[in-house]
Amino acid sequence: MGQRKGNGPAVRQAVEYDLVELVRLRALLFEDLGGDFFSPASADDDWLDALAVVLKEQLTSDAVRILVVDGDGDGDGDSDSDGDRGLAACGIATIEQRLPGPHLRNGRIGHVIGVVTDPSYRRRGHSRSIMRGLLDWFGEREVARVDLYASVEGEPLYRELGFTHHPDPALYWRP
């Protein structure tokens, strides 16, 4: 059964049975973000197969936490006849061990890789409940800092949870 924090929806750790839905929600995240960077026109669906393989491997990793909220059957009506409700939302987080420094005493950095809610389940507190669960997990592991990239829609929630602008300038390189 899922954990319930306050009056929020029940959150549970993902299991192998959830893989198809996790891939669906992760693909939805990139569709929602849009743009050529997140959804390049040249992309095919091969990445979904690779995603499923990596997610399956990561489900049991101590450095990864994947939390989900089950659908309630009142979403988009796509529940199949055997009662499978699908997932309403998911959130994925990782912990990276870097070298300690004066601003990062133990070198542990958390990353929220993505929180996404199926459109038919939005505005019900699913993302908030998942984020609280992920933040608790980071705290239990004495993570020194948690990083994430926020969509315009998600930024108010993250700020409410205590996230602020990152002090380091960010650049990236693709080989």
Side-chain angles (χ1 to χ4, degrees):
M1 289 308 268
Q3 302 173 10
R4 190 173 299 273
K5 293 269 185 178
N7 294 328
V11 175
R12 65 175 175 82
Q13 190 166 340
V15 294
E16 190 171 335
Y17 178 80
D18 297 315
L19 280 173
V20 170
E21 280 291 284
L22 289 170
V23 169
R24 179 185 70 83
L25 288 172
R26 186 82 177 147
L28 181 63
L29 174 69
F30 290 107
E31 289 174 16
D32 285 353
L33 291 173
D36 197 47
F37 179 80
F38 293 106
S39 274
S42 62
D44 54 33
D45 287 343
D46 289 352
W47 72 275
L48 295 170
D49 294 331
L51 173 63
V53 170
V54 172
L55 282 171
K56 183 176 179 181
E57 292 169 356
Q58 297 299 315
L59 281 172
T60 57
S61 170
D62 291 336
V64 177
R65 178 59 52 113
I66 304 173
L67 298 180
V68 298
V69 173
D70 289 307
D72 59 13
D74 294 330
D76 59 11
D78 285 344
S79 298
D80 63 30
S81 60
D82 64 3
D84 181 17
R85 300 173 302 181
L87 294 178
C90 72
I92 303 171
T94 63
I95 297 174
E96 177 183 349
Q97 180 63 61
R98 293 189 183 174
L99 298 174
H103 63 290
L104 199 62
R105 295 288 183 179
N106 66 11
R108 279 187 224 118
I109 296 180
H111 299 275
V112 176
I113 304 300
V115 176
V116 62
T117 302
D118 184 285
S120 61
Y121 290 99
R122 290 184 180 158
R123 312 298 306 164
R124 299 186 193 185
H126 298 323
S127 293
R128 179 180 313 280
S129 292
I130 286 172
M131 279 301 299
R132 285 186 175 145
L134 294 176
L135 293 175
D136 288 348
W137 179 71
F138 287 133
E140 292 164 4
R141 280 146 187 82
E142 299 179 353
V143 168
R145 185 182 84 217
V146 175
D147 294 340
L148 60 74
Y149 293 98
S151 66
V152 172
E153 295 81 14
E155 187 173 346
L157 167 63
Y158 300 129
R159 288 195 177 278
E160 183 181 316
L161 292 171
F163 285 83
T164 62
H165 281 291
H166 199 293
D168 297 330
L171 302 173
Y172 76 96
W173 176 75
R174 285 191 177 181

